[in-house]
Amino acid sequence: MPSDVEPAADPSRRDLGAYWYLDSAAGSGAPPVTAVEVLRAVRRFRAADVAMRIRARSDMDMNDSDMVALRHLISAEERSEPIGPKDLSVFLGITSAATAKLLSRLEAAGRLRREPHPSDRRAQVLHATRHAHDEIRRALGAAHQRMLAAAQKLTPPEQLAVVRFLDELSGAMDEPIKPIEPDESPAAAIPAAP
């Protein structure tokens, strides 16, 4: 695992090559968990999430787009929201030709069925089959239950704090990337080791 993912043995260590930069509390007698450690924990979670989804796709013999499409269809069905091929193209950010191939693959594998739209016979509504629901549940259900159990261990105020933090982090990641000017570099703000 990269060194920037694991917590540093010495929180006051100044590693200018690390991805995350030290916050002002490091080495100041503050509690042992710093903002940097929180971000490292988020990165470990993201790595574990990616690995879990890769295992699930491998077990189901699917590619990433197929899995994301199925999960989106299942989620939309739970909200009673009809999804058509155009909606799926937009959600996945792929062309209509790529969507047509994806839908053909899912249909051939027995994971998708198409029905005429109830009010527009020229359009289609896409549905994940019972087989697809069962496959997704088999592949991800146990992990999702363990994740829910971990979240349930938190007190209501802790849950609220996590939700707020993750929502704020999501918003921060959605901001457009602004190049850092050489004199604004976060590494430049770290004082030299004594």
Side-chain angles (χ1 to χ4, degrees):
M1 210 175 259
S3 63
D4 62 337
V5 173
E6 290 298 316
D10 177 7
S12 65
R13 187 178 132 236
R14 287 177 168 74
D15 182 359
L16 297 179
Y19 182 74
W20 298 115
Y21 298 101
L22 295 172
D23 66 0
S24 60
S28 66
V33 176
T34 66
V36 172
E37 296 305 324
V38 170
L39 294 176
R40 286 180 177 149
V42 169
R43 291 183 80 200
R44 288 191 300 273
F45 165 75
R46 290 188 64 223
D49 183 58
V50 167
M52 175 188 70
R53 297 196 189 289
I54 289 171
R55 286 190 305 272
R57 287 194 318 263
S58 177
D59 290 349
M60 294 174 66
D61 193 28
M62 294 175 69
N63 66 36
D64 187 46
S65 294
D66 292 2
M67 175 68 92
V68 171
L70 268 184
R71 292 185 68 230
H72 181 61
L73 290 175
I74 290 170
S75 178
E77 288 172 10
E78 290 171 357
R79 296 186 309 269
S80 299
E81 178 185 324
I83 299 290
K86 288 180 185 176
D87 303 315
L88 197 56
S89 290
V90 169
F91 177 77
L92 296 173
I94 60 177
T95 65
S96 57
T99 302
K101 288 180 184 179
L102 179 148
L103 295 177
S104 293
R105 274 194 313 271
L106 291 176
E107 197 169 34
R111 294 177 171 132
L112 174 87
R113 74 175 193 283
R114 306 175 204 219
E115 293 180 357
H117 191 281
S119 60
D120 181 357
R121 291 292 175 184
R122 296 171 297 159
Q124 294 179 334
V125 177
L126 307 173
H127 298 279
T129 63
R130 176 54 37 207
H131 169 68
H133 279 264
D134 292 344
E135 274 188 304
I136 295 281
R137 189 172 293 111
R138 226 179 0 262
L140 296 172
H144 286 175
Q145 286 300 316
R146 291 189 300 271
M147 291 164 65
L148 180 61
Q152 288 172 333
K153 288 179 184 177
L154 300 173
T155 65
E158 290 171 330
Q159 291 172 350
L160 182 60
V162 170
V163 169
R164 284 181 178 160
F165 166 71
L166 292 175
D167 285 347
E168 189 166 334
L169 193 62
S170 297
M173 293 169 68
D174 282 343
E175 290 290 323
I177 296 174
K178 177 187 144 216
I180 295 176
E181 297 298 323
D183 60 324
E184 294 177 8
S185 171
I190 298 174

